[in-house]
Amino acid sequence: MGIVSWLVLGLVTGVIAKVLLPGRDPGGLVGTTLIGIAGSFIGGWLSTKFLDRPIPKDFGEPSMWIASIAGALVLLIGYRLLFGNSRER
C-alpha cells in the first residue's frame, strides 16, 4: 500500500474508533490519523501474533479494516487508562 492509502486508512479507522469509544481524546484530524495508522500496525501485529492470521495487503480487505479499528481502539483505551481525564477543564 502507498503512503496515501495508509493516510486514508488511518483517518477512517481513527474516526471509527473515536465514534465507537466517544470521549475527550487527543488531537484533531492529525491526531486521529496517527491513532488510526498506529492502530493499523498494532492490529496487524496482534492478528498475526495471537490469531495466526496474516493481514492481506489489499486495501479493501475487511480483515485489514477490522484489525486496524481494533488496534485503534486498543490505543484509545490505553490512552484513557494511562492519562484518564487529564483533558477535563
Side-chain angles (χ1 to χ4, degrees), residues 48-68:
T48 57
K49 185 73 172 173
F50 296 110
L51 300 177
D52 198 28
R53 295 195 57 179
I55 298 297
K57 294 180 173 54
D58 184 24
F59 188 72
E61 186 68 33
S63 61
M64 181 183 68
W65 286 89
I66 292 169
S68 297

Side-chain angles (χ1 to χ4, degrees), residues 21 24-26 73-86:
L21 196 66
R24 295 183 59 93
D25 293 309
L73 286 171
V74 167
L75 281 178
L76 286 176
I77 291 169
Y79 174 82
R80 290 185 184 174
L81 288 174
L82 290 175
F83 299 106
N85 295 327
S86 64

